[in-house]
Each structure stands twice: as structure tokens, then as C-alpha cells.
Amino acid sequence: MNSRIKEHPILGKIEKGRRVTFSHDGNIIEGFEGEPISAALKAAGVMVHRHTQKYGAPRGIFCAIGRCTDCVMVVDGKPNIRTCITPLAEGMIVETQYGVSAKSTNKAEGMA
Amino acid sequence: MKRYDLIVVGAGPAGLSAAVEAAKYGLKVVVFDENANPGGQLFKQVHKFFGSKEHKAKIRGFRIGSQLLEEANNLGVEVVLNATVAGLFQDKEITVRIKDSIQHYKGDAILVATGAAENMVPFKGWTLPGVIGAGAAQTMMNLHGVVPGQKILMLGSGNVGLVVSYQLLQAGCEVVALVDAAPKIGGYGVHAAKLARTGVPFYLSHTIIKAEGTDCVTGVTIAEVDKTWKTIPGTAKSLAVDTICLAVGLSPMAQLLKMAGCIMEDNPKKGGQVPVCNAYGETSLRGVFVAGDVSGVEEASSAMIEGRIAGIAAAEYLGYIDKAVLTEVAEALESALSSLRQGMFAVENRGKNIEKTDEGYVVSQHLLKKGYFQDAEVEKYPGVTRQPGVHAVIECSQNIPCNPCQDACPRHCIKIGDKITSLPVVDETANCSGCGMCVAACSGQAIFLVNEGYEAGYASITIPYEFLPLPGEGDRGWALDRGGSKVCAAEVVKVQTAPVFDHTSLLTIKVPVAMAMKARFFKEDNCHA
Ligand SMILES: Cc1cc2nc3c(=O)[nH]c(=O)nc-3n(C[C@H](O)[C@H](O)[C@H](O)COP(=O)(O)OP(=O)(O)OC[C@H]3O[C@@H](n4cnc5c(N)ncnc54)[C@H](O)[C@@H]3O)c2cc1C
Ligand code: SF4
Ligand code: SF4
Ligand code: FES
């Protein structure tokens, strides 16, 4: 499945920054520098960005303009980063957020 | 603390128009917008706009946005992006969040043009990844070049739902269903018709029962509702989709004004809670103005005019111009505004059941329910004539504020007259050259060229085409009717693209003459047809 539009009938070729790699829950993924992290994840087929604190329910992109906070993830160790308005950079470490932290980085949380 | 004559909140069409107008009179103006891109809603719109030439009709939304920005820049307006205005206080002070810092500014006058936010509607499973707002779909595909999904259900048949569905098709997605609980399509018939002819099915009087899936959307269940909005047992059906897109209306974003202490009113016709304001957009607080969707959800064309009026009013308030100048300029703008606010979709007509056009033509119920005309209905409209040679067939049947077709025709074949909401009429005495300017200019893609004398036994039909890949001359396929069903084999005999057509290609297909008034779309299929 390819979600990137190669050529658009009205917009033509969509201009993108340089190709970069970043990690998502340990997997290396490609994206374009400067595009929202969420766009790169979407293009790679990632749907779930976080699980809610209370019920562990999955959340993903909803508003895409930084208003709803459904898309927040742990980015470079910092939780609650709105991935739909945060530009992608080379080597970023992006992790699915569980409640308010990443599963892998916070053992205490994982045991609770 | 930095001081400006006029602080504008929001760089959409209303805010930018106000800034431009005020700067023309010499005011020192700054515009703040929380987005990374200026233009508000316009920036995401790739379709040709409705309205009239003076209000940039026929131009694609994103270009209107960049034109306004350029005008603003040329006049020395400061536009600050990625800047969220978090507070507005009675003394016209604002707080702005830029990156991680909060900054304070003071304006002698303030204009709030924050636009509107999307409404949401809960149903079972609505928080699953894959359920998104229509605005999010636009942001993803038109700004970032990533489609939100492959198979999509659109909820909402207002103009936003219709326009975004079409944009999804252009991005290469499949729109599996367009669903609305209302019994009639809420947006313009021409927007619905351009979807229907590609085969998108409309489910009016239907609602979503639930989104299916555990980690993300894998399907959806819809069911029919009765007049009291209750689901009818036994009507549930499941559709395989990976995305559910919500386009269920917009509400004015007037929190800042409320916070500042402006007198507010609840007005369902304006889309919710809005500030009370006078004809110049001035609120109950002297020197605090509003314009655009924040003062009542409407259109970009009206937002631009309201913005200009408020910009001039701010100049008058600060003593840059006389009251007499304001009254004179505003009067002309207000009359333009009221001409746009006529017709079936005017605010005062919302929710009404309109059975006839201003001219007395019966409104097609089939169009309102299925998104397209029945064959027999089409020919009664004044834009549809049968003539021996090539001529325009205009399938535009509602009183909407739109007239680019009239301006487009160099031979004066198309007449709307002074009233912008009147139906376009084809003048049979004028001599159509078949140039196609009208086909490309029509914002609703409702104009076709028909030539029933193309060749013995065959007619040619020219249709507007905005998809990729673009078929080539000699390609074969199927002609689809207004409802998107195959009616006959067809061959492409001409493909025209030109800078003046602005990315709308004109595809001329050849079909048996009996299909001249049925065939309205082309689907390529070189193997079978
Ligand atoms: C899919 C779709 C299709 C449309 N098609 C048409 C059409 O064909 N013809 C037509 O005339 N109209 C059309 N419209 C309507 C038109 O886009 C809107 O009516 C118009 O954009 C309203 O302009 P505005 O300036 O009031 O608000 P907006 O365009 O919404 O701009 C408001 C701006 O304010 C900013 N903002 C909000 N709050 C803050 C804050 N606190 N701090 C800083 N900035 C803030 C926002 O980021 C935004 O950029 C369409 C709309 C949609 C959604
Ligand atoms: S094809 Fe050209 S001449 Fe004919 S109606 Fe359209 S614009 Fe006018
Ligand atoms: S036919 Fe004319 S009035 Fe109707 S949608 Fe097209 S351009 Fe607008
Ligand atoms: S999707 Fe809403 S904040 Fe990112």
C-alpha cells in the first residue's frame, strides 16, 4: 500500500525535503525532512499513535492541525509531542505513547 | 510591549483582506496565525471557487490565499505565522504563544478573524484511528501529499463533505459512500453531481451505527433512519472501509471574543455562538472588530468582503479616514455582500424546503437524494438546449451565488444577468464556437459541450476532467451516465489542456447519438470497451 501521492492532477508533484530515516518503536522508517512526523508514519502504514491512560484505547491522527492531541507520541524521549505539527528530522526516535510515557523507556510504568 | 494600529488574529481570507484594506489607508498592521501556512481554509482548497470575478471566483482556493498574502506583503503588513493568540483583553492587549514563549502586544484596534472549527459527532468506535475530520483529510493529502486511506466513507453532504470527497478522488482514493442522516443533500447540486457521475453512491437518510476494528478502522456499519432520526430495523449494512471522514458542520471559533467580554448571541443560522456586531463588524467593545466565519459560518467570498469592510472601519475608528469615506466605501461593499447572500442557500433559507427556483423551475428531488438528475428532468432547465451543431449544455439548476460561466464565453452564449444567483441561460441565437472556455471555467463542472452532428450516428461530448492519468486521444473505455453507470462504449477523440483552463482538461468522447444526453463521464478501459 502506498499512501504517498506521486503526482496530483492540480498540485502536480508535491515538493518534499530531503529523504531521512528515523525510528518508530525500534523499526527504521524513511520519511522526508520537515514533513510532519505523522505524515511519515501514515505513509509507512502506522495508524496507532498512542493508547489512552485509562482504557488503553488506541488513538491516531484526527484533526491533523494540532488541536485534538490524539496524535501525541514520545519523541526523542519527550512525551506528549503532537506529531501532526512537529517536523520530522533525521534520526528522530519516535515511540508509541501509553498513557503519558513510552512502554519501553519507563519500566515503573510498565509494572504498575 | 510592541504596539500596532491594528492587530489581526487569523490569516484567512477575512483577516488578510482586512489587513490589506487597513494598510492601504496607512495603518500599521500585524497579522498572527497559529498555522505554519497563511490563507486559513483557502490553503487547503484545490478546487475552483464559486462567486463572481470580483470575488476571485474560478480561481483555485490555494491561489487566492497566496494572492492575498502577496498583496499584504506589498503593503508592508507583518504576517507572523506559528503564532497562537491565547488571550484578548478589554484594553486591546493580546497574548501570543510563539514556540515556547508568551509575548504581549497592544493594538489600538483589534480584528478577530479566527474562522470556524469542525464539529464532531460521536458514534460507536468513533475514537478509533482511521476516523478523521474532513479538514484533516485535506491537510494530509493537499498539504503533505499523503492520502488518509484507500477506501473512504464520507459522513456529511454539505459543501465541505462534497468538495473533500472530490478531492479524495483526485488524490487517488476510493469514496465508497457518502452518507448523511438528512433526507436531502445539503450542499450544491453541482458539487454532488460531479461525484455521482464518477460512481460515488449517496446514502441519504442514513447514519453510522458503528466503526468496526480493534486497532484501527476496518469497516463501518450504516443504517437507514426514519423522519424522527431513529434507525429502521433491518436496514443495517456493512461496508469495507479503512477511513471514516467526518464533515458534519463548522462552528464559529469565538472564544477570544467571549473572553474579552464581547456581548455574544446564540444563533443557529450562523453556526453557533457569535459576537453581536454592527454592519461594519464592530462588536460591543469599541475598536474590536470581527469578520468572516467567526461571526457566522459562510463563504470565502463573503469573508473577504466582511474583512475589507472591517479593515476600513478600523481605519475610520482610528481617525485615518472620515466617516463619510467609510459610509461610501462600505455601502458599495455591502451591496456586493447582499447580492452574494441571495438564493436557495442563503442563511435565511437554511433548513427550508425549497421546491422551485426563483425563476419557477422545479427543483429535482432526484438530485437532492441521489446526487444527479433523471434523464427526463434535465432538459427543462434554461441551460440545456438541443441545437444542431456544437453547443454548451449547462446542468446547473439551483440559485447559487456563482457566475464565471457568463464571463467566460467570448460569444455571449451564456447569460446569468445582474443577479448572480440566477440560473445560467443558454442563448440559442448566439453562435457557439466550441472553444470550451465555459467548460473549464465552471466551478461546478456542470457544463458540457454536445455535438449531435459530430459524425453520422455519433455525437461528441466534451467533459471537464481533473484526474490522473489523463486519457489520450484514441483511448477507449466506457461512457458513464450521471449516476456513474456504464451506458455505452466510448472513444476519446480529443484532449485539450491549456494554461487558461488551469489544470482542468477537456476530454471529448464519441458516443452513439442516442447517448448524447446521457453520457457525462468517461472511464478508461482499453481492453474491453
Ligand atoms: C472544504 C471546503 C470547501 C470550501 N469551498 C468554498 C468555495 O468554493 N467558495 C467559497 O467562497 N468558500 C468556500 N469554503 C469556505 C471558506 O473556506 C471559508 O468560509 C473561509 O475560509 C472563511 O474565512 P475566514 O478568514 O473567516 O476563516 P479561515 O479561513 O478559517 O481562517 C481563520 C484563520 O485563523 C487562524 N486562527 C484561529 N484561531 C487562532 C488563534 N487563536 N491564534 C492565531 N490564529 C488563529 C486559523 O489558523 C486560520 O488560519 C470552503 C470551506 C471548506 C472547508
Ligand atoms: S464553448 Fe466557447 S463559445 Fe461555446 S458556449 Fe462555451 S465559451 Fe461560449
Ligand atoms: S454553470 Fe455557471 S453558475 Fe453554474 S456552477 Fe457553473 S459557473 Fe457557476
Ligand atoms: S491529530 Fe489532532 S493534534 Fe495531531
Side-chain angles (χ1 to χ4, degrees):
Chain A
M1 181 184 91
N2 195 350
S3 333
R4 294 219 186 252
I5 303 168
K6 279 191 208 76
E7 196 177 351
H8 191 279
I10 310 303
L11 301 167
K13 294 234 187 309
I14 292 181
E15 275 177 45
K16 286 281 177 180
R18 128 186 116 94
R19 211 176 260 278
V20 294
T21 55
F22 67 105
S23 94
H24 169 254
D25 287 346
N27 300 317
I28 301 298
I29 303 188
E30 271 196 350
F32 293 98
E33 186 172 60
E35 71 180 353
I37 297 171
S38 67
L41 291 174
K42 179 83 220 180
V46 175
M47 294 296 289
V48 180
H49 287 225
R50 68 179 177 103
H51 293 269
T52 58
Q53 175 97 351
K54 240 184 169 166
Y55 302 108
R59 294 283 188 273
I61 302 171
F62 183 69
C63 73
I65 50 170
R67 290 219 179 107
C68 72
T69 69
D70 271 3
C71 69
V72 300
M73 298 178 85
V74 181
V75 176
D76 291 336
K78 251 172 94 181
N80 293 328
I81 300 295
R82 288 175 295 173
T83 53
C84 68
I85 51 164
T86 304
L88 181 69
E90 173 92 65
M92 268 182 169
I93 299 172
V94 179
E95 294 168 283
T96 306
Q97 184 167 320
Y98 294 82
V100 291
S101 54
K103 210 176 222 171
S104 54
T105 54
N106 193 331
K107 292 213 177 62
E109 174 86 11
M111 284 160 69
Chain B
M1 183 172 5
K2 259 191 147 168
R3 209 210 114 258
Y4 289 88
D5 291 331
L6 175 64
I7 291 177
V8 177
V9 188
L16 286 177
S17 302
V20 162
E21 213 60 38
K24 275 188 201 158
Y25 290 107
L27 277 71
K28 188 175 160 211
V29 186
V30 65
V31 184
F32 295 103
D33 198 297
E34 63 183 354
N35 248 304
N37 297 302
Q41 289 290 346
L42 295 184
F43 203 79
K44 294 186 247 177
Q45 307 306 336
V46 297
H47 64 291
K48 293 181 177 174
F49 268 46
F50 284 80
S52 69
K53 200 163 60 191
E54 305 85 81
H55 314 118
K56 307 195 190 279
K58 195 183 104 179
I59 303 180
R60 297 189 189 272
F62 65 100
R63 291 213 182 92
I64 303 179
S66 30
Q67 282 179 7
L68 284 172
L69 182 71
E70 199 183 306
E71 273 180 64
N73 286 338
N74 290 343
L75 288 162
V77 172
E78 250 180 87
V79 181
V80 186
L81 300 173
N82 295 310
T84 306
V85 175
L88 168 61
F89 307 94
Q90 290 225 342
D91 57 356
K92 304 196 185 67
E93 207 185 298
I94 63 163
T95 50
V96 190
R97 201 168 56 240
I98 301 173
K99 290 217 173 88
D100 290 331
S101 75
I102 299 278
Q103 300 184 18
H104 295 257
Y105 292 87
K106 183 151 168 66
D108 290 338
I110 305 266
L111 175 96
V112 177
T114 44
E118 291 183 277
N119 297 340
M120 286 309 141
V121 51
F123 46 84
K124 207 169 163 229
W126 80 290
T127 57
L128 275 177
V131 179
I132 58 171
Q138 290 194 302
T139 303
M140 288 156 88
M141 62 187 172
N142 297 341
L143 289 187
H144 305 308
V146 176
V147 293
Q150 309 292 323
K151 291 166 87 71
I152 304 184
L153 177 139
M154 177 66 71
L155 183 68
S157 70
N159 275 334
V160 174
L162 299 174
V163 166
V164 176
S165 293
Y166 192 77
Q167 293 178 1
L168 284 161
L169 297 177
Q170 289 181 306
C173 311
E174 183 189 345
V175 178
V176 174
L178 202 141
V179 176
D180 200 313
K184 285 179 192 166
I185 291 170
Y188 295 167
V190 288
H191 278 322
K194 66 187 195 193
L195 286 173
R197 74 175 76 106
T198 70
V200 172
F202 283 71
Y203 295 88
L204 276 292
S205 298
H206 275 71
T207 192
I208 295 181
I209 304 295
K210 66 168 195 248
E212 288 148 22
T214 41
D215 267 350
C216 59
V217 174
T218 53
V220 60
T221 308
I222 62 171
E224 201 175 334
V225 294
D226 63 17
K227 283 200 184 89
T228 62
W229 311 96
K230 278 213 208 64
T231 53
I232 304 173
T235 60
K237 61 163 85 46
S238 238
L239 302 170
V241 300
D242 55 29
T243 305
I244 296 171
C245 203
L246 309 178
V248 290
L250 299 164
S251 300
M253 280 209 295
Q255 293 87 336
L256 284 174
L257 296 151
K258 199 174 171 183
M259 174 177 182
C262 294
I263 298 175
M264 309 291 288
E265 61 163 341
D266 276 312
N267 188 334
K269 291 204 162 160
K270 292 184 166 182
Q273 202 177 48
V274 292
V276 175
C277 63
N278 68 15
Y280 302 141
E282 191 168 15
T283 64
S284 60
L285 293 179
R286 284 285 287 149
V288 176
F289 297 84
V290 288
D293 281 356
V294 69
S295 59
V297 175
E298 276 187 281
E299 301 267 273
S301 38
S302 44
M304 287 186 273
I305 305 179
E306 284 181 7
R308 291 179 61 190
I309 295 176
I312 300 166
E316 191 270 339
Y317 168 73
L318 296 177
Y320 281 78
I321 54 168
D322 291 341
K323 184 96 190 174
V325 179
L326 169 64
T327 333
E328 193 188 325
V329 186
E331 209 167 289
L333 289 170
E334 271 160 27
S335 90
L337 199 52
S338 75
S339 79
L340 290 173
R341 286 177 174 160
Q342 311 287 314
M344 311 183 160
F345 293 85
V347 174
E348 68 263 23
N349 287 333
R350 282 188 193 160
K352 277 196 200 149
N353 190 12
I354 296 178
E355 286 173 354
K356 285 194 174 156
T357 70
D358 292 348
E359 297 88 347
Y361 295 97
V362 176
V363 174
S364 161
Q365 294 304 309
H366 203 264
L367 175 69
L368 296 179
K369 288 199 163 65
K370 296 285 172 194
Y372 59 97
F373 298 107
Q374 282 175 313
D375 292 343
E377 295 173 324
V378 172
E379 298 202 27
K380 67 184 179 212
Y381 294 106
V384 182
T385 61
R386 302 230 35 179
Q387 298 180 31
V390 63
H391 63 283
V393 168
I394 309 186
E395 303 189 356
C396 178
S397 68
Q398 295 170 318
N399 298 121
I400 56 176
C402 183
N403 68 5
C405 50
Q406 169 172 265
D407 289 329
C409 181
R411 301 238 174 153
H412 310 290
C413 301
I414 304 170
K415 303 213 156 53
I416 285 186
D418 294 334
K419 197 169 169 202
I420 186 175
T421 49
S422 300
L423 295 191
V425 178
V426 165
D427 181 354
E428 289 185 65
T429 64
N431 192 4
C432 171
S433 67
C435 70
M437 289 300 290
C438 55
V439 179
C442 172
S443 329
Q445 299 191 3
I447 308 186
F448 308 87
L449 300 184
V450 173
N451 184 356
E452 295 191 41
Y454 178 71
E455 222 171 64
Y458 287 94
S460 71
I461 321 256
T462 302
I463 56 175
Y465 198 82
E466 293 192 353
F467 298 102
L468 288 177
L470 183 63
E473 280 168 30
D475 283 358
R476 291 173 176 280
W478 303 100
L480 307 189
D481 65 10
R482 296 182 183 88
S485 304
K486 291 177 188 172
V487 285
C488 60
E491 182 189 336
V492 178
V493 293
K494 196 154 125 197
V495 181
Q496 293 162 274
T497 53
V500 281
F501 296 162
D502 186 10
H503 295 83
T504 307
S505 299
L506 307 192
L507 215 62
T508 304
I509 57 171
K510 184 174 107 173
V511 293
V513 74
M515 294 298 149
M517 290 308 283
K518 283 181 188 289
R520 288 296 178 266
F521 198 66
F522 176 74
K523 198 175 163 92
E524 189 152 357
D525 184 351
N526 283 307
C527 307
H528 300 98

